[in-house]
Amino acid sequence: AQKVTQAQTEISVVEKEDVTLDCVYETRDTTYYLFWYKQPPSGELVFLIRRNSFDEQNEISGRYSWNFQKSTSSFNFTITASQVVDSAVYFCALSVPSNDYKLSFGAGTTVTVRA
Amino acid sequence: DAGVIQSPRHEVTEMGQEVTLRCKPISGHNSLFWYRQTMMRGLELLIYFNNNVPIDDSGMPEDRFSAKMPNASFSTLKIQPSEPRDSAVYFCASSFRGSNYGYTFGSGTRLTVV
């Protein structure tokens, strides 16, 4: 079975602070895919990134960066110099071929950035 | 591409009434998913279809819930009769079957049953 754990329920920061969201996953598949989605207050689910299990390179996209570490089964997400517009719920998700690539979501982390 | 289109965006109904939620997936996508989001349970997969055929409906909470996909461009999720505990945001998503690229989600339908 697949499982995604986001241990942080809520994080509150002041603008310009960095914030790191933790994601730990469990799977027996050797091939798997990890995702982050953002859900702003407007409610839609927005795709942020996809990472496959064979690519452990960290990725940076603007103020967003992701740290994938297979040794610890983690796929953490950092927002650098946070802004009020980053306030949202962030979901980590996992898909594996043995489960027909269905997405298994974590519980989400609510990030509040205060001005 | 217009993305995944859901209607209505908001629905308020009285307990006991029938509710129908609608979804138009992205053209060419052959997998469609219905999710429910609540504070207590987070994002739950209710049912998914591959090539218009229901594959796994184990997440459908009760017989009051039913879903159909009569063709590749349309799906419905029906609740009959509705109850206050059905109040939630219902998301539809689509993808290419077997794709490891994740899903594209619709904007969701916020259902309130009073």
Side-chain angles (χ1 to χ4, degrees):
Chain A
Q2 294 68 236
K3 186 178 178 181
V4 177
T5 301
Q6 294 180 255
Q8 304 149 306
T9 305
E10 295 184 29
I11 299 176
S12 182
V13 297
V14 177
E15 227 177 359
K16 297 184 183 178
E17 287 185 350
D18 298 348
V19 56
T20 295
L21 311 181
D22 298 333
C23 173
V24 174
Y25 61 91
E26 296 176 30
T27 179
R28 292 182 178 178
D29 287 51
T30 55
T31 299
Y32 51 89
Y33 301 85
L34 296 161
F35 303 80
W36 278 94
Y37 283 82
K38 174 182 179 180
Q39 187 174 39
S42 52
E44 70 272 25
L45 282 158
V46 179
F47 167 82
L48 294 179
I49 191 172
R50 163 188 171 273
R51 171 67 70 207
N52 74 57
S53 54
F54 300 109
D55 183 1
E56 287 194 73
Q57 281 191 337
N58 291 331
E59 182 155 342
I60 298 175
S61 176
R63 295 183 297 105
Y64 293 172
S65 61
W66 290 270
N67 182 353
F68 176 29
Q69 291 196 334
K70 289 180 76 170
S71 60
T72 55
S73 298
S74 65
F75 186 43
N76 297 338
F77 172 31
T78 297
I79 303 172
T80 302
S82 61
Q83 300 176 1
V84 173
V85 294
D86 297 325
S87 296
V89 182
Y90 292 86
F91 292 95
C92 183
L94 168 71
S95 76
V96 299
S98 65
N99 194 29
D100 206 14
Y101 293 103
K102 289 186 295 185
L103 282 177
S104 299
F105 283 92
T109 299
T110 300
V111 173
T112 302
V113 181
R114 308 186 307 277
Chain B
D1 193 334
V4 177
I5 300 173
Q6 290 187 247
S7 64
R9 285 298 307 274
H10 303 275
E11 176 80 35
V12 180
T13 190
E14 291 185 349
M15 182 173 63
Q17 296 297 306
E18 177 180 297
V19 176
T20 299
L21 311 182
R22 296 172 176 79
C23 176
K24 177 180 169 54
I26 289 176
S27 177
H29 282 186
N30 53 7
S31 289
L32 183 140
F33 308 83
W34 282 101
Y35 279 84
R36 179 172 69 175
Q37 185 179 32
T38 60
M39 289 294 293
M40 291 297 294
R41 302 172 72 92
L43 278 160
E44 303 173 272
L45 177 63
L46 300 177
I47 185 172
Y48 79 101
F49 297 82
N50 284 340
N51 297 317
N52 313 338
V53 176
I55 302 300
D56 182 358
D57 65 355
S58 59
M60 297 285 260
E62 300 173 35
D63 291 346
R64 299 184 295 105
F65 286 69
S66 63
K68 294 182 179 180
M69 192 165 186
N71 58 62
S73 59
F74 183 66
S75 177
T76 59
L77 178 67
K78 185 177 295 186
I79 308 172
Q80 165 64 15
S82 58
E83 297 182 4
R85 58 195 168 114
D86 302 330
S87 297
V89 180
Y90 291 82
F91 286 100
C92 176
S94 70
S95 74
F96 291 108
R97 184 193 176 187
S99 167
N100 51 48
Y101 283 87
Y103 309 160
T104 301
F105 284 85
S107 298
T109 295
R110 182 174 294 278
L111 173 65
T112 304
V113 184
V114 298

mmCIF file of all heavy atoms in Angstrom, chain A residues 33 35 37 39 41-45 47 50 89 91 95 99-107, chain B residues 9 33 35 37 42-43 45 48 50 55-56 91 97-107:
data_model
loop_
_atom_site.group_PDB
_atom_site.id
_atom_site.type_symbol
_atom_site.label_atom_id
_atom_site.label_comp_id
_atom_site.label_asym_id
_atom_site.label_seq_id
_atom_site.Cartn_x
_atom_site.Cartn_y
_atom_site.Cartn_z
ATOM 1 N N TYR A 33 6.157 8.056 -8.511
ATOM 2 C CA TYR A 33 6.147 9.468 -8.895
ATOM 3 C C TYR A 33 5.599 10.280 -7.738
ATOM 4 O O TYR A 33 4.618 9.884 -7.098
ATOM 5 C CB TYR A 33 5.308 9.669 -10.159
ATOM 6 C CG TYR A 33 5.844 8.865 -11.313
ATOM 7 C CD1 TYR A 33 5.485 7.530 -11.472
ATOM 8 C CD2 TYR A 33 6.763 9.417 -12.187
ATOM 9 C CE1 TYR A 33 6.021 6.767 -12.492
ATOM 10 C CE2 TYR A 33 7.306 8.653 -13.218
ATOM 11 C CZ TYR A 33 6.929 7.329 -13.353
ATOM 12 O OH TYR A 33 7.474 6.582 -14.363
ATOM 13 N N PHE A 35 4.437 14.182 -6.275
ATOM 14 C CA PHE A 35 3.841 15.425 -6.747
ATOM 15 C C PHE A 35 3.630 16.384 -5.575
ATOM 16 O O PHE A 35 3.476 15.969 -4.427
ATOM 17 C CB PHE A 35 2.456 15.164 -7.371
ATOM 18 C CG PHE A 35 2.453 14.180 -8.501
ATOM 19 C CD1 PHE A 35 2.473 12.811 -8.254
ATOM 20 C CD2 PHE A 35 2.434 14.620 -9.812
ATOM 21 C CE1 PHE A 35 2.467 11.895 -9.290
ATOM 22 C CE2 PHE A 35 2.424 13.708 -10.853
ATOM 23 C CZ PHE A 35 2.440 12.357 -10.593
ATOM 24 N N TYR A 37 0.896 19.672 -4.975
ATOM 25 C CA TYR A 37 -0.202 20.497 -5.454
ATOM 26 C C TYR A 37 -0.424 21.626 -4.464
ATOM 27 O O TYR A 37 -0.236 21.467 -3.261
ATOM 28 C CB TYR A 37 -1.502 19.689 -5.571
ATOM 29 C CG TYR A 37 -1.599 18.787 -6.777
ATOM 30 C CD1 TYR A 37 -1.009 17.529 -6.774
ATOM 31 C CD2 TYR A 37 -2.283 19.195 -7.913
ATOM 32 C CE1 TYR A 37 -1.095 16.699 -7.883
ATOM 33 C CE2 TYR A 37 -2.388 18.365 -9.023
ATOM 34 C CZ TYR A 37 -1.794 17.120 -8.997
ATOM 35 O OH TYR A 37 -1.901 16.302 -10.095
ATOM 36 N N GLN A 39 -3.326 24.424 -3.106
ATOM 37 C CA GLN A 39 -4.741 24.779 -3.087
ATOM 38 C C GLN A 39 -4.881 26.146 -2.414
ATOM 39 O O GLN A 39 -4.905 26.252 -1.193
ATOM 40 C CB GLN A 39 -5.568 23.735 -2.342
ATOM 41 C CG GLN A 39 -7.073 23.991 -2.438
ATOM 42 C CD GLN A 39 -7.894 22.876 -1.818
ATOM 43 O OE1 GLN A 39 -7.547 22.314 -0.794
ATOM 44 N NE2 GLN A 39 -9.021 22.560 -2.452
ATOM 45 N N PRO A 41 -6.756 29.834 -1.385
ATOM 46 C CA PRO A 41 -8.084 30.061 -0.785
ATOM 47 C C PRO A 41 -9.239 29.975 -1.777
ATOM 48 O O PRO A 41 -10.367 29.682 -1.400
ATOM 49 C CB PRO A 41 -7.944 31.465 -0.188
ATOM 50 C CG PRO A 41 -6.493 31.593 0.108
ATOM 51 C CD PRO A 41 -5.792 30.864 -0.997
ATOM 52 N N SER A 42 -8.966 30.219 -3.043
ATOM 53 C CA SER A 42 -10.025 30.128 -4.051
ATOM 54 C C SER A 42 -10.483 28.690 -4.272
ATOM 55 O O SER A 42 -11.552 28.459 -4.856
ATOM 56 C CB SER A 42 -9.548 30.752 -5.362
ATOM 57 O OG SER A 42 -8.304 30.202 -5.748
ATOM 58 N N GLY A 43 -9.686 27.721 -3.834
ATOM 59 C CA GLY A 43 -10.154 26.338 -3.790
ATOM 60 C C GLY A 43 -9.665 25.392 -4.854
ATOM 61 O O GLY A 43 -9.774 24.177 -4.678
ATOM 62 N N GLU A 44 -9.151 25.880 -5.956
ATOM 63 C CA GLU A 44 -8.728 24.948 -7.004
ATOM 64 C C GLU A 44 -7.431 24.259 -6.607
ATOM 65 O O GLU A 44 -6.687 24.734 -5.767
ATOM 66 C CB GLU A 44 -8.569 25.675 -8.345
ATOM 67 C CG GLU A 44 -7.383 26.623 -8.421
ATOM 68 C CD GLU A 44 -7.711 28.017 -7.949
ATOM 69 O OE1 GLU A 44 -8.651 28.180 -7.137
ATOM 70 O OE2 GLU A 44 -6.993 28.952 -8.364
ATOM 71 N N LEU A 45 -7.178 23.129 -7.215
ATOM 72 C CA LEU A 45 -5.948 22.368 -6.968
ATOM 73 C C LEU A 45 -5.003 22.603 -8.132
ATOM 74 O O LEU A 45 -5.302 22.253 -9.272
ATOM 75 C CB LEU A 45 -6.248 20.881 -6.816
ATOM 76 C CG LEU A 45 -6.811 20.482 -5.455
ATOM 77 C CD1 LEU A 45 -7.565 19.165 -5.552
ATOM 78 C CD2 LEU A 45 -5.685 20.368 -4.431
ATOM 79 N N PHE A 47 -1.315 22.057 -9.904
ATOM 80 C CA PHE A 47 -0.119 21.218 -9.988
ATOM 81 C C PHE A 47 1.129 22.098 -9.886
ATOM 82 O O PHE A 47 1.236 23.138 -10.537
ATOM 83 C CB PHE A 47 -0.149 20.478 -11.324
ATOM 84 C CG PHE A 47 1.141 19.813 -11.711
ATOM 85 C CD1 PHE A 47 1.472 18.576 -11.212
ATOM 86 C CD2 PHE A 47 2.028 20.436 -12.585
ATOM 87 C CE1 PHE A 47 2.653 17.953 -11.574
ATOM 88 C CE2 PHE A 47 3.201 19.823 -12.950
ATOM 89 C CZ PHE A 47 3.525 18.585 -12.453
ATOM 90 N N ARG A 50 6.253 17.424 -10.503
ATOM 91 C CA ARG A 50 6.255 15.978 -10.560
ATOM 92 C C ARG A 50 7.706 15.529 -10.567
ATOM 93 O O ARG A 50 8.539 16.117 -11.238
ATOM 94 C CB ARG A 50 5.563 15.506 -11.825
ATOM 95 C CG ARG A 50 5.823 14.076 -12.244
ATOM 96 C CD ARG A 50 5.228 13.821 -13.605
ATOM 97 N NE ARG A 50 5.619 12.534 -14.152
ATOM 98 C CZ ARG A 50 6.716 12.311 -14.847
ATOM 99 N NH1 ARG A 50 7.578 13.270 -15.079
ATOM 100 N NH2 ARG A 50 6.980 11.106 -15.320
ATOM 101 N N VAL A 89 -3.083 25.738 1.032
ATOM 102 C CA VAL A 89 -2.852 24.383 1.521
ATOM 103 C C VAL A 89 -2.018 23.669 0.464
ATOM 104 O O VAL A 89 -2.327 23.749 -0.734
ATOM 105 C CB VAL A 89 -4.169 23.622 1.761
ATOM 106 C CG1 VAL A 89 -3.879 22.234 2.327
ATOM 107 C CG2 VAL A 89 -5.073 24.412 2.697
ATOM 108 N N PHE A 91 -0.389 20.073 -0.851
ATOM 109 C CA PHE A 91 -0.547 18.630 -0.764
ATOM 110 C C PHE A 91 0.614 17.935 -1.473
ATOM 111 O O PHE A 91 0.974 18.294 -2.601
ATOM 112 C CB PHE A 91 -1.850 18.177 -1.430
ATOM 113 C CG PHE A 91 -3.090 18.619 -0.716
ATOM 114 C CD1 PHE A 91 -3.753 19.777 -1.089
ATOM 115 C CD2 PHE A 91 -3.608 17.862 0.323
ATOM 116 C CE1 PHE A 91 -4.911 20.189 -0.435
ATOM 117 C CE2 PHE A 91 -4.769 18.258 0.986
ATOM 118 C CZ PHE A 91 -5.401 19.428 0.602
ATOM 119 N N SER A 95 2.134 8.462 -6.764
ATOM 120 C CA SER A 95 1.468 7.499 -7.642
ATOM 121 C C SER A 95 2.452 6.389 -8.000
ATOM 122 O O SER A 95 3.668 6.635 -8.128
ATOM 123 C CB SER A 95 0.923 8.164 -8.911
ATOM 124 O OG SER A 95 1.943 8.453 -9.845
ATOM 125 N N ASN A 99 -0.663 0.566 -8.537
ATOM 126 C CA ASN A 99 -1.966 1.092 -8.130
ATOM 127 C C ASN A 99 -2.593 1.872 -9.279
ATOM 128 O O ASN A 99 -3.366 2.817 -9.055
ATOM 129 C CB ASN A 99 -1.806 1.969 -6.880
ATOM 130 C CG ASN A 99 -3.127 2.267 -6.197
ATOM 131 O OD1 ASN A 99 -4.056 1.479 -6.260
ATOM 132 N ND2 ASN A 99 -3.227 3.423 -5.553
ATOM 133 N N ASP A 100 -2.244 1.482 -10.505
ATOM 134 C CA ASP A 100 -2.811 2.125 -11.688
ATOM 135 C C ASP A 100 -2.518 3.617 -11.728
ATOM 136 O O ASP A 100 -3.295 4.394 -12.285
ATOM 137 C CB ASP A 100 -4.329 1.875 -11.755
ATOM 138 C CG ASP A 100 -4.864 1.942 -13.182
ATOM 139 O OD1 ASP A 100 -4.044 1.906 -14.128
ATOM 140 O OD2 ASP A 100 -6.092 2.058 -13.369
ATOM 141 N N TYR A 101 -1.445 4.020 -11.111
ATOM 142 C CA TYR A 101 -1.016 5.422 -11.079
ATOM 143 C C TYR A 101 -2.026 6.341 -10.406
ATOM 144 O O TYR A 101 -2.008 7.549 -10.621
ATOM 145 C CB TYR A 101 -0.699 5.941 -12.480
ATOM 146 C CG TYR A 101 0.502 5.279 -13.099
ATOM 147 C CD1 TYR A 101 0.356 4.297 -14.074
ATOM 148 C CD2 TYR A 101 1.789 5.629 -12.698
ATOM 149 C CE1 TYR A 101 1.464 3.681 -14.641
ATOM 150 C CE2 TYR A 101 2.903 5.014 -13.270
ATOM 151 C CZ TYR A 101 2.724 4.044 -14.231
ATOM 152 O OH TYR A 101 3.818 3.443 -14.788
ATOM 153 N N LYS A 102 -2.897 5.780 -9.569
ATOM 154 C CA LYS A 102 -3.816 6.644 -8.826
ATOM 155 C C LYS A 102 -3.024 7.475 -7.829
ATOM 156 O O LYS A 102 -2.084 6.995 -7.212
ATOM 157 C CB LYS A 102 -4.859 5.806 -8.084
ATOM 158 C CG LYS A 102 -5.877 5.162 -8.992
ATOM 159 C CD LYS A 102 -6.963 4.471 -8.185
ATOM 160 C CE LYS A 102 -6.406 3.319 -7.394
ATOM 161 N NZ LYS A 102 -7.465 2.562 -6.695
ATOM 162 N N LEU A 103 -3.436 8.704 -7.654
ATOM 163 C CA LEU A 103 -2.750 9.586 -6.718
ATOM 164 C C LEU A 103 -3.196 9.303 -5.280
ATOM 165 O O LEU A 103 -4.390 9.266 -4.995
ATOM 166 C CB LEU A 103 -3.044 11.047 -7.049
ATOM 167 C CG LEU A 103 -2.280 11.682 -8.215
ATOM 168 C CD1 LEU A 103 -2.758 13.104 -8.431
ATOM 169 C CD2 LEU A 103 -0.792 11.672 -7.935
ATOM 170 N N SER A 104 -2.215 9.128 -4.413
ATOM 171 C CA SER A 104 -2.485 9.037 -2.977
ATOM 172 C C SER A 104 -1.997 10.334 -2.360
ATOM 173 O O SER A 104 -0.814 10.666 -2.472
ATOM 174 C CB SER A 104 -1.734 7.860 -2.356
ATOM 175 O OG SER A 104 -2.129 6.634 -2.925
ATOM 176 N N PHE A 105 -2.902 11.053 -1.720
ATOM 177 C CA PHE A 105 -2.572 12.371 -1.193
ATOM 178 C C PHE A 105 -2.242 12.310 0.291
ATOM 179 O O PHE A 105 -2.811 11.519 1.050
ATOM 180 C CB PHE A 105 -3.763 13.324 -1.364
ATOM 181 C CG PHE A 105 -3.941 13.831 -2.758
ATOM 182 C CD1 PHE A 105 -4.761 13.171 -3.649
ATOM 183 C CD2 PHE A 105 -3.295 14.981 -3.178
ATOM 184 C CE1 PHE A 105 -4.936 13.633 -4.938
ATOM 185 C CE2 PHE A 105 -3.457 15.463 -4.471
ATOM 186 C CZ PHE A 105 -4.282 14.786 -5.349
ATOM 187 N N GLY A 106 -1.353 13.202 0.697
ATOM 188 C CA GLY A 106 -1.173 13.460 2.112
ATOM 189 C C GLY A 106 -2.315 14.329 2.619
ATOM 190 O O GLY A 106 -3.176 14.766 1.845
ATOM 191 N N ALA A 107 -2.297 14.592 3.906
ATOM 192 C CA ALA A 107 -3.385 15.349 4.535
ATOM 193 C C ALA A 107 -3.301 16.840 4.253
ATOM 194 O O ALA A 107 -4.264 17.575 4.495
ATOM 195 C CB ALA A 107 -3.384 15.104 6.035
ATOM 196 N N ARG B 9 -20.538 25.488 -9.658
ATOM 197 C CA ARG B 9 -19.450 25.800 -8.743
ATOM 198 C C ARG B 9 -19.909 25.706 -7.294
ATOM 199 O O ARG B 9 -19.157 25.301 -6.407
ATOM 200 C CB ARG B 9 -18.909 27.213 -9.004
ATOM 201 C CG ARG B 9 -18.048 27.343 -10.248
ATOM 202 C CD ARG B 9 -16.782 26.468 -10.163
ATOM 203 N NE ARG B 9 -15.988 26.672 -8.978
ATOM 204 C CZ ARG B 9 -15.056 27.591 -8.847
ATOM 205 N NH1 ARG B 9 -14.807 28.434 -9.821
ATOM 206 N NH2 ARG B 9 -14.348 27.693 -7.729
ATOM 207 N N PHE B 33 -11.646 10.953 -12.531
ATOM 208 C CA PHE B 33 -11.676 10.680 -11.096
ATOM 209 C C PHE B 33 -12.625 11.647 -10.407
ATOM 210 O O PHE B 33 -12.650 12.832 -10.738
ATOM 211 C CB PHE B 33 -10.274 10.869 -10.497
ATOM 212 C CG PHE B 33 -9.196 10.104 -11.210
ATOM 213 C CD1 PHE B 33 -8.606 10.608 -12.362
ATOM 214 C CD2 PHE B 33 -8.763 8.875 -10.725
ATOM 215 C CE1 PHE B 33 -7.609 9.911 -13.018
ATOM 216 C CE2 PHE B 33 -7.766 8.169 -11.381
ATOM 217 C CZ PHE B 33 -7.187 8.685 -12.527
ATOM 218 N N TYR B 35 -13.293 13.087 -6.597
ATOM 219 C CA TYR B 35 -12.781 13.200 -5.232
ATOM 220 C C TYR B 35 -13.750 14.022 -4.389
ATOM 221 O O TYR B 35 -14.446 14.885 -4.887
ATOM 222 C CB TYR B 35 -11.427 13.929 -5.211
ATOM 223 C CG TYR B 35 -10.233 13.087 -5.559
ATOM 224 C CD1 TYR B 35 -9.881 12.868 -6.894
ATOM 225 C CD2 TYR B 35 -9.436 12.517 -4.564
ATOM 226 C CE1 TYR B 35 -8.766 12.093 -7.205
ATOM 227 C CE2 TYR B 35 -8.326 11.755 -4.876
ATOM 228 C CZ TYR B 35 -8.002 11.551 -6.195
ATOM 229 O OH TYR B 35 -6.900 10.806 -6.504
ATOM 230 N N GLN B 37 -13.592 16.379 -0.798
ATOM 231 C CA GLN B 37 -12.689 16.992 0.173
ATOM 232 C C GLN B 37 -13.479 17.539 1.349
ATOM 233 O O GLN B 37 -14.385 18.363 1.178
ATOM 234 C CB GLN B 37 -11.874 18.120 -0.458
ATOM 235 C CG GLN B 37 -10.834 18.706 0.489
ATOM 236 C CD GLN B 37 -10.013 19.813 -0.160
ATOM 237 O OE1 GLN B 37 -10.492 20.552 -1.013
ATOM 238 N NE2 GLN B 37 -8.756 19.902 0.223
ATOM 239 N N GLY B 42 -10.016 14.999 4.534
ATOM 240 C CA GLY B 42 -9.108 15.411 3.468
ATOM 241 C C GLY B 42 -9.650 15.045 2.099
ATOM 242 O O GLY B 42 -10.860 15.026 1.879
ATOM 243 N N LEU B 43 -8.738 14.720 1.181
ATOM 244 C CA LEU B 43 -9.115 14.351 -0.183
ATOM 245 C C LEU B 43 -9.333 12.847 -0.267
ATOM 246 O O LEU B 43 -8.409 12.072 -0.046
ATOM 247 C CB LEU B 43 -8.014 14.764 -1.160
ATOM 248 C CG LEU B 43 -8.006 16.218 -1.606
ATOM 249 C CD1 LEU B 43 -6.650 16.594 -2.152
ATOM 250 C CD2 LEU B 43 -9.090 16.471 -2.640
ATOM 251 N N LEU B 45 -10.690 9.667 -2.721
ATOM 252 C CA LEU B 45 -11.083 9.218 -4.050
ATOM 253 C C LEU B 45 -12.391 8.438 -3.925
ATOM 254 O O LEU B 45 -12.461 7.457 -3.200
ATOM 255 C CB LEU B 45 -9.997 8.333 -4.664
ATOM 256 C CG LEU B 45 -10.313 7.736 -6.027
ATOM 257 C CD1 LEU B 45 -10.491 8.833 -7.067
ATOM 258 C CD2 LEU B 45 -9.212 6.767 -6.454
ATOM 259 N N TYR B 48 -13.250 6.030 -9.940
ATOM 260 C CA TYR B 48 -12.582 6.475 -11.149
ATOM 261 C C TYR B 48 -12.961 5.587 -12.332
ATOM 262 O O TYR B 48 -13.326 4.430 -12.159
ATOM 263 C CB TYR B 48 -11.074 6.595 -10.969
ATOM 264 C CG TYR B 48 -10.260 5.333 -11.032
ATOM 265 C CD1 TYR B 48 -9.555 4.984 -12.178
ATOM 266 C CD2 TYR B 48 -10.133 4.518 -9.913
ATOM 267 C CE1 TYR B 48 -8.761 3.855 -12.213
ATOM 268 C CE2 TYR B 48 -9.345 3.391 -9.942
ATOM 269 C CZ TYR B 48 -8.650 3.061 -11.089
ATOM 270 O OH TYR B 48 -7.859 1.933 -11.122
ATOM 271 N N ASN B 50 -11.881 4.395 -16.380
ATOM 272 C CA ASN B 50 -10.947 4.309 -17.498
ATOM 273 C C ASN B 50 -11.759 4.031 -18.747
ATOM 274 O O ASN B 50 -12.552 3.084 -18.774
ATOM 275 C CB ASN B 50 -9.917 3.190 -17.293
ATOM 276 C CG ASN B 50 -8.841 3.569 -16.305
ATOM 277 O OD1 ASN B 50 -8.594 4.735 -16.025
ATOM 278 N ND2 ASN B 50 -8.188 2.556 -15.756
ATOM 279 N N ILE B 55 -13.916 1.672 -12.782
ATOM 280 C CA ILE B 55 -12.896 0.694 -12.430
ATOM 281 C C ILE B 55 -12.920 0.382 -10.936
ATOM 282 O O ILE B 55 -12.804 -0.770 -10.525
ATOM 283 C CB ILE B 55 -11.497 1.179 -12.837
ATOM 284 C CG1 ILE B 55 -11.445 1.463 -14.345
ATOM 285 C CG2 ILE B 55 -10.436 0.168 -12.427
ATOM 286 C CD1 ILE B 55 -11.759 0.262 -15.209
ATOM 287 N N ASP B 56 -13.049 1.402 -10.148
ATOM 288 C CA ASP B 56 -12.983 1.214 -8.705
ATOM 289 C C ASP B 56 -13.924 2.212 -8.043
ATOM 290 O O ASP B 56 -13.676 3.415 -8.092
ATOM 291 C CB ASP B 56 -11.551 1.417 -8.214
ATOM 292 C CG ASP B 56 -11.389 1.181 -6.716
ATOM 293 O OD1 ASP B 56 -12.393 0.902 -6.027
ATOM 294 O OD2 ASP B 56 -10.247 1.259 -6.232
ATOM 295 N N PHE B 91 -14.391 17.309 -6.279
ATOM 296 C CA PHE B 91 -13.505 17.596 -7.396
ATOM 297 C C PHE B 91 -13.582 16.481 -8.431
ATOM 298 O O PHE B 91 -13.665 15.298 -8.103
ATOM 299 C CB PHE B 91 -12.042 17.694 -6.928
ATOM 300 C CG PHE B 91 -11.719 18.940 -6.182
ATOM 301 C CD1 PHE B 91 -11.648 18.945 -4.799
ATOM 302 C CD2 PHE B 91 -11.459 20.124 -6.867
ATOM 303 C CE1 PHE B 91 -11.336 20.093 -4.102
ATOM 304 C CE2 PHE B 91 -11.151 21.280 -6.174
ATOM 305 C CZ PHE B 91 -11.091 21.261 -4.789
ATOM 306 N N ARG B 97 -4.820 7.511 -19.098
ATOM 307 C CA ARG B 97 -4.738 6.288 -18.323
ATOM 308 C C ARG B 97 -3.302 5.788 -18.284
ATOM 309 O O ARG B 97 -2.622 5.729 -19.311
ATOM 310 C CB ARG B 97 -5.626 5.197 -18.904
ATOM 311 C CG ARG B 97 -5.592 3.959 -18.021
ATOM 312 C CD ARG B 97 -6.170 2.742 -18.654
ATOM 313 N NE ARG B 97 -6.002 1.608 -17.746
ATOM 314 C CZ ARG B 97 -6.281 0.366 -18.062
ATOM 315 N NH1 ARG B 97 -6.743 0.080 -19.258
ATOM 316 N NH2 ARG B 97 -6.107 -0.597 -17.193
ATOM 317 N N GLY B 98 -2.862 5.413 -17.084
ATOM 318 C CA GLY B 98 -1.517 4.893 -16.935
ATOM 319 C C GLY B 98 -0.464 5.971 -16.981
ATOM 320 O O GLY B 98 0.723 5.679 -16.925
ATOM 321 N N SER B 99 -0.924 7.194 -17.064
ATOM 322 C CA SER B 99 0.031 8.289 -17.114
ATOM 323 C C SER B 99 0.632 8.527 -15.740
ATOM 324 O O SER B 99 -0.057 8.466 -14.729
ATOM 325 C CB SER B 99 -0.663 9.564 -17.585
ATOM 326 O OG SER B 99 0.162 10.682 -17.357
ATOM 327 N N ASN B 100 1.902 8.802 -15.738
ATOM 328 C CA ASN B 100 2.543 9.144 -14.482
ATOM 329 C C ASN B 100 2.673 10.643 -14.329
ATOM 330 O O ASN B 100 3.477 11.116 -13.527
ATOM 331 C CB ASN B 100 3.909 8.454 -14.400
ATOM 332 C CG ASN B 100 4.734 8.712 -15.639
ATOM 333 O OD1 ASN B 100 4.847 9.848 -16.087
ATOM 334 N ND2 ASN B 100 5.328 7.682 -16.184
ATOM 335 N N TYR B 101 1.902 11.381 -15.078
ATOM 336 C CA TYR B 101 1.982 12.833 -15.023
ATOM 337 C C TYR B 101 0.962 13.474 -14.087
ATOM 338 O O TYR B 101 0.809 14.680 -14.072
ATOM 339 C CB TYR B 101 1.846 13.417 -16.432
ATOM 340 C CG TYR B 101 3.106 13.265 -17.219
ATOM 341 C CD1 TYR B 101 3.361 12.114 -17.947
ATOM 342 C CD2 TYR B 101 4.079 14.257 -17.200
ATOM 343 C CE1 TYR B 101 4.546 11.958 -18.644
ATOM 344 C CE2 TYR B 101 5.267 14.115 -17.902
ATOM 345 C CZ TYR B 101 5.490 12.963 -18.623
ATOM 346 O OH TYR B 101 6.662 12.813 -19.301
ATOM 347 N N GLY B 102 0.281 12.641 -13.297
ATOM 348 C CA GLY B 102 -0.669 13.206 -12.347
ATOM 349 C C GLY B 102 -1.960 13.612 -13.044
ATOM 350 O O GLY B 102 -2.217 13.248 -14.183
ATOM 351 N N TYR B 103 -2.760 14.345 -12.327
ATOM 352 C CA TYR B 103 -4.079 14.695 -12.821
ATOM 353 C C TYR B 103 -4.206 16.192 -13.033
ATOM 354 O O TYR B 103 -3.498 16.986 -12.419
ATOM 355 C CB TYR B 103 -5.169 14.326 -11.800
ATOM 356 C CG TYR B 103 -5.131 12.914 -11.272
ATOM 357 C CD1 TYR B 103 -5.775 12.619 -10.069
ATOM 358 C CD2 TYR B 103 -4.487 11.879 -11.926
ATOM 359 C CE1 TYR B 103 -5.777 11.347 -9.549
ATOM 360 C CE2 TYR B 103 -4.470 10.595 -11.409
ATOM 361 C CZ TYR B 103 -5.116 10.338 -10.221
ATOM 362 O OH TYR B 103 -5.112 9.071 -9.692
ATOM 363 N N THR B 104 -5.184 16.542 -13.863
ATOM 364 C CA THR B 104 -5.628 17.928 -13.937
ATOM 365 C C THR B 104 -6.976 17.991 -13.254
ATOM 366 O O THR B 104 -7.885 17.242 -13.617
ATOM 367 C CB THR B 104 -5.753 18.396 -15.389
ATOM 368 O OG1 THR B 104 -4.487 18.264 -16.044
ATOM 369 C CG2 THR B 104 -6.177 19.863 -15.430
ATOM 370 N N PHE B 105 -7.081 18.876 -12.286
ATOM 371 C CA PHE B 105 -8.311 18.990 -11.507
ATOM 372 C C PHE B 105 -9.207 20.101 -12.027
ATOM 373 O O PHE B 105 -8.728 21.118 -12.521
ATOM 374 C CB PHE B 105 -7.989 19.282 -10.037
ATOM 375 C CG PHE B 105 -7.503 18.092 -9.269
ATOM 376 C CD1 PHE B 105 -6.174 17.729 -9.289
ATOM 377 C CD2 PHE B 105 -8.390 17.331 -8.520
ATOM 378 C CE1 PHE B 105 -5.725 16.619 -8.591
ATOM 379 C CE2 PHE B 105 -7.955 16.223 -7.811
ATOM 380 C CZ PHE B 105 -6.624 15.859 -7.846
ATOM 381 N N GLY B 106 -10.498 19.887 -11.866
ATOM 382 C CA GLY B 106 -11.453 20.955 -12.079
ATOM 383 C C GLY B 106 -11.464 21.889 -10.878
ATOM 384 O O GLY B 106 -10.745 21.678 -9.892
ATOM 385 N N SER B 107 -12.274 22.914 -10.968
ATOM 386 C CA SER B 107 -12.323 23.923 -9.905
ATOM 387 C C SER B 107 -13.145 23.481 -8.701
ATOM 388 O O SER B 107 -13.149 24.159 -7.682
ATOM 389 C CB SER B 107 -12.903 25.229 -10.455
ATOM 390 O OG SER B 107 -12.068 25.742 -11.477
#
